[in-house]
Amino acid sequence: MQPLDFSTVIQTLTQNAQNVWMPHFFPEVVVCVTIVLILLASICLKRTARTTFALALIGLLVALCGIGSQLNVVGSGVSANPGEYFGGVLIWDGFTVPVRGMLLLFAILALSLSGSTMKFGARDATDFYTLLLGSTLGLLVLAQSNNLLMAFVGFEMASIPGYALVGFQRHRLRSSEASLKYLLYGAAASGVMLYGISLLSGLTGTLSVSQLGSHVAAIGSQATGATASHAVIFSLLLIFVGFAFKLSLVPFHFWAPDAFEGASAEVAGFLSVGGKVATFSLLVRMSLALSGSMTGEAAKLVLPLGIGLGVVAMASVTFGNLAAYFQKNVKRLLAYSTIAHSGYMLMAVAALLVLRSPEGASSGIDVKQVTQQCIEGLVFYLFVYVFMNIGAFGLTALMRNHFGSEDLEGVKGFGRVFPIHGACLVVCVFSLVGLPPLGGFWGKFVVFYSLFMASKISTFMMVVLLVGGLNTVFSLFYYIGILKAVFLGEPREGSSSLVAASSENGLAMLIALPILLLGMFPGAATDFASEMARSLVR
Amino acid sequence: MDPLCYLSLLIFLPTLGAIILFGFPSKAVDAMRVFTAAITGVVFLMTLQLWLGGSFNPVLGTIQPVQEGVSVPWIASWNIHYRLGYDGLSLPLVVLTGFVSFLSAIASWSIQKLHKGYFILFLLLVTGMLGVFLALDFFLFYVFWEVMLLPMYFLIGVWGGPRREYAAIKFFLYTLVGSVLMLVAMLMLYFASGREFSLIGLAQQAAAGKFSSFEQTVAFILLFIGFAIKVPCVPVHTWLPDAHVEAPTPISMILAGVLLKMGGYGILRIAFPLCPLGAYYSSYALVAIGVVSIIYGAFAALAQTDFKRLVAYSSVSHMGYVTLGIGVWKLSEAHGIDFWLQGVSGAMFQMIAHGVSSTGMFFMVGVIYDRVHHRDLNQFGGLMGRMPLYSGLAAGIFFAGLGLPGLCGFIGEVAVVISTWNYDPLLAIIAASGVVLTAGYILWTMQRVYLGASYKGPHSEEIDHMPFTAREAFVGFTLLIAAIYLGVYPSVVFDVMDATLKGSLETLEKAVATVGK
Amino acid sequence: MTGDPLSILVWLSAIFFLCGFLCMIVKRNVIGMLIGVELILNAANINFVAFGQLSRLGIDGQIATLFVIVLAAAEAAVALAITLVFYNSHSTIDADRGESLRG
Amino acid sequence: MNDFLFVALAVIAALGAISVVLCRKVVHMAASLIVALSSVAGIFFSLNANFVGATQLMVYVGGTVILLIFGVMLTSMSAKAELKTTPIEAIAALASSVLLLLVFTFTVGSVSWSEHFKLLAGDAAVPKNLVEQGSSSFSSVALALVGVRTDQPNAHSYLLPFEIISIHLLVVLVAAGYLARPRGTQQEADSTAE
């Protein structure tokens, strides 16, 4: 036991602050400070919704700039000293830095959107932005956690403000009901996940994600391995429940339609995207750890795990698309589309596991390269998804503001009255379908390609690929339902005099343009994504 | 001018026009009409320049202006190139696209609502079509293929007839199914070839036997279904009558005149060269599908009472000759590829001829529909007396569709039927009987619509209020002249494509022959 | 079951988990369900402390428990607030009464 | 003696948890929960995890459960409110519990833990029994929370979660405050979209 005096502790703290907090976790620090500032400002300054909004926006922008200055870690990696921090609780490398950038960018979009479309009083605005930033902070933590406990903390930090955000419109019956359902399902899922974490950490003796693989492998190679391996699978399943909940994968998707319909469209957009980006980042890390260093008995787990994920992915995609077909409410429809898109993204992870299984290693493919390819596809998909989904939900918010309805019946002719909004909606929706030359197509393309590579290892992945492809066609039915209402329907009497604010038009185009650009010139983005993958898989 | 710039300008000039159209005030309808017509006119002239401007050498039979196509890297990490070029296969279709676009832009005068949106989408559609024919990178091809879908959906869905929404979604859905299958095939070949998207490169690899026969067969089936939907071949043709009937006249013209040709073009440009073995194994199926399409389309046309639906089914029947002509591939010691070459040339010619004649037929239906607001064949009759000029032009064009010697429809059909004889005499006889059926329904239609006592049906007074305008006459005359010209002087098309077809068929033959018969 | 304290604790936590899980299924009352969640979280806590004190996990286990306790408290606070809002608008805390969101 | 206490506490805790499920009245459930959680706290003490045990007692038993009881009272569910279970639900519950028990038996339950760790660790870090645990666990826990690990030099330091959770609590406070705030106080609050 080493001597412990107060000065040692203080010294450690300051060292941490100087060497770790500021250079590496500047964005998180800024977000924390912004939250405090917003609350302080609401006490000291004259409260207006605008000041709070400006504060939050500036905070996020500064944080994003912080990310910008760290981006040199991507690819090169060496000079910027990537690695595990806080004794391995967090990881900071060429993968997490851009993912955090993505999250911040997304938070900025969500913030600007709610700033321009939600009308609330100063006091409510303070609360809303605080919750939004708090949730974002949780997502940031989740995305870079390298420790299962930290991941759980991140999950909760992102979710708990989310519960409140869903119930933010207290005067609406549906809002409170939605938030209650979200809360109950969410709490149960996180409890189950935590139980899984506790078992897994007990079995392996570590909470570290990056050491998970080697520890699991160690279990598998010993005499008590068989039963312990079963226990490991069981605990992994429990943990996956938490992931699946956050990603609204079938069969843990129940909350999504209710929560998204009850929440305002802005909040629904925020919840549908943010959680995915952060959770997939962690899921990829876990999958890599589990599949990478395993040998012997334990390695046999990897292929079934990949196939299992493939099954879940197929179920999500199919169910999401089928259920969306019957929806009359745009938000609910988009909620089901979110479920389907989670499925598509999960396909990339499934392919990754299959390719990294021992069967993949022995088939003569370059495992490292194909792994990178899978991650590249997933990252690109997520990046496009940030824009296209927030765009779709944002335009739903605009429909609500201008037409007072979020039902397919009620928004007829929206695109004719507001041609710019309509055009942006076309871009978002067709990108969600996955048609070129829009970003969503390229996202699907790269994911399908990784499935195709995986199908060389396991023919089952070809089935997944075909199901995914066919679902793209199914999905057209309901997506086109939105466009049909918005363009082919006749606008209501008197709506032709409505005019969109130029700020709304600007924001809509700001979201639609990247989708178009990512579709037409995906080169830079895919290159960047593959650099990210390269810094993850060395 | 640098060929890459020239081709890009050709493709994207309509897009540019669409962007400029955004700036037009919504009230300036005439200005938009003229502007669109001018843009498409320039596009037509540019396509003619490709053909007649001296840059195209028909004897070469390779991709021009440069062997591998002019290209710049597009998405380098995926080895995707923005690669353009044309040869004897695509050039006639490019010119046809320019021609039909120009005429249907003129025919678009009849559009009554939301003009700005219409013309913007129309121009985007033209970009997509030209892109499909000029792209030499599989990925680029796919992108243009889909780009064309979006405007088409809206053009049918917003400006179409009463059941427009149904027709639009059906069209969209069918094409999307096809393109998803194409996507899977594309991934397969990309993977098997070691990350290659260039159509020429892929074709070379296929010819060198790099793809296994299993891969080729699967890929061919996927690709063929995708293209067959567009052609349309019989089991997957059901989108066509709906889309044609509900689409506004100029869009029907484009659909029939250009879009259907993309199917045939795709088969010849992609499905065959990339999977020669698969194509060879499936040739009998192709021929059978072609024959069934011919007969089924003709019988279905006979049964129609809707004028436009009849013309639509006649397209199914006529395009059947294309599938048939492409499919008559039989390795034979005696004749080599002669008969097959004749079939494919006939199919190509049939595509061009059908592009002219069916465009004309749809236009003629549209002209009369604008006046009497119905298409019921049983209520027509005696238009000849009321509108002699119109009826004369229409008769000429319908005769072209019928396949009367001296008009464009004749040559392709005859060439295809003759080469089929070599493949399977029975099928040839059946296909030939399709010609008789075609004559039957077209003559019967002409009798029901144009002949007889003077028209007294619904809205007969409108015919006097709206005389046959010079604009309409111009479109009609142009199409008729084109039909006659192609009928009398078919070698204008054959000259362009002979060398190319011969070269590519020989390559295919070699690729299959090396594997063994 | 052996007399090994670790086994006893793991089984105890399994019972907690099971009871919590059953509470979530059986109880229709929101408070009842939240109690179920608390049980599940406690199951994890027992595991953490047990593995921490009796096996390799070390003080990580205790720390995890501390965090879980704090997070559970925070979650409970928000949960109660949401329950109140729900109660104010629906005059019930029977979770099955929320019928407006179905389909 | 210690072992006996340990087993007794475990049994009480288990019974408490089971009675939470079986009780029909919310208040009874809460009471059983208190029993269960307190016994768990006792177990923590007997495992030498004093800090955690104390926290469990203060925060969990003293705070969370009280919150829940507040919830029961505030929503004026009469304290006697009964929660009926339909037969179908009972059967479903029974089936799922049997299923879960089976899963537990064949996975976690069948691991022979002492054997497992002996093989796994191979190092001296694994304590053999309760007494061997360092009595310093309180200070080492506290120090790990501020980033200094005394037991293993390169292990996880929990400074970050410790710090960041304070922000989280702040946000949660805001959330709870917002939701609990009466609506009437601010008119513009009602002009929220839609």
Side-chain angles (χ1 to χ4, degrees), chain A residues 4 87 127 147 168 170 222, chain D residues 116-117 119 143 156 178 181 189:
Chain A
L4 288 167
D127 294 349
N147 174 294
F168 204 80
R170 288 174 301 176
Q222 59 169 305
Chain D
H116 178 66
F117 285 113
L119 288 166
L143 282 168
H156 297 175
Y178 171 81
R181 192 193 310 151

Side-chain angles (χ1 to χ4, degrees), chain B residues 196-445:
Chain B
E196 174 79 68
F197 269 127
S198 161
L199 286 175
I200 302 146
L202 283 170
Q204 280 164 356
Q205 294 204 12
K210 180 124 186 235
F211 310 139
S212 72
S213 75
F214 173 74
E215 277 168 343
Q216 291 199 23
T217 314
V218 174
F220 181 80
I221 292 170
L222 292 173
L223 289 171
F224 179 72
I225 297 173
F227 295 128
I229 288 171
K230 211 67 174 185
V231 167
C233 294
V234 146
V236 286
H237 69 288
T238 53
W239 64 272
L240 180 126
D242 290 308
H244 270 304
V245 169
E246 299 306 324
T249 304
I251 301 309
S252 295
M253 290 163 69
I254 292 215
L255 262 176
V258 183
L259 256 64
L260 304 190
K261 277 73 212 174
M262 288 178 181
Y265 173 74
I267 294 173
L268 280 175
R269 167 69 78 209
I270 294 173
F272 267 69
L274 266 49
C275 331
L277 278 175
Y280 180 68
Y281 296 148
S282 329
S283 73
Y284 199 88
L286 259 68
V287 171
I289 288 171
V291 171
V292 171
S293 299
I294 294 170
I295 302 299
Y296 176 86
F299 272 116
L302 267 174
Q304 300 306 318
T305 55
D306 183 316
F307 198 179
K308 209 169 178 183
R309 224 177 164 79
L310 179 141
V311 179
Y313 274 110
S314 85
S315 283
V316 176
S317 176
H318 281 142
M319 292 304 285
Y321 287 102
V322 176
T323 323
L324 177 60
I326 293 171
V328 290
W329 183 1
K330 189 155 125 185
L331 290 180
S332 90
E333 301 291 338
H335 303 290
I337 58 164
D338 289 350
F339 280 106
W340 187 30
L341 179 60
Q342 190 185 7
V344 175
S345 307
M348 272 301 288
F349 191 88
Q350 174 73 357
M351 288 211 268
I352 306 293
H354 179 255
V356 172
S357 65
S358 74
T359 305
M361 290 198 272
F362 278 112
F363 177 69
M364 290 305 167
V365 176
V367 166
I368 193 65
Y369 181 72
D370 286 345
R371 285 164 180 76
V372 300
H373 307 293
H374 76 89
R375 292 185 299 254
D376 189 351
L377 284 171
N378 296 328
Q379 297 189 35
F380 279 119
L383 284 179
M384 190 64 96
R386 302 290 297 272
M387 301 172 74
L389 177 59
Y390 160 74
S391 303
L393 286 173
I397 284 170
F398 276 92
F399 278 130
L402 184 156
L404 206 66
L407 291 167
C408 63
F410 176 68
I411 292 124
E413 290 175 15
V414 167
V416 168
V417 171
I418 291 174
S419 65
T420 312
W421 183 266
N422 178 54
Y423 189 83
D424 186 339
L426 178 67
L427 288 175
I429 292 168
I430 301 173
S433 68
V435 181
V436 181
L437 285 172
T438 310
Y441 67 78
I442 286 196
L443 289 174
W444 188 32
T445 306

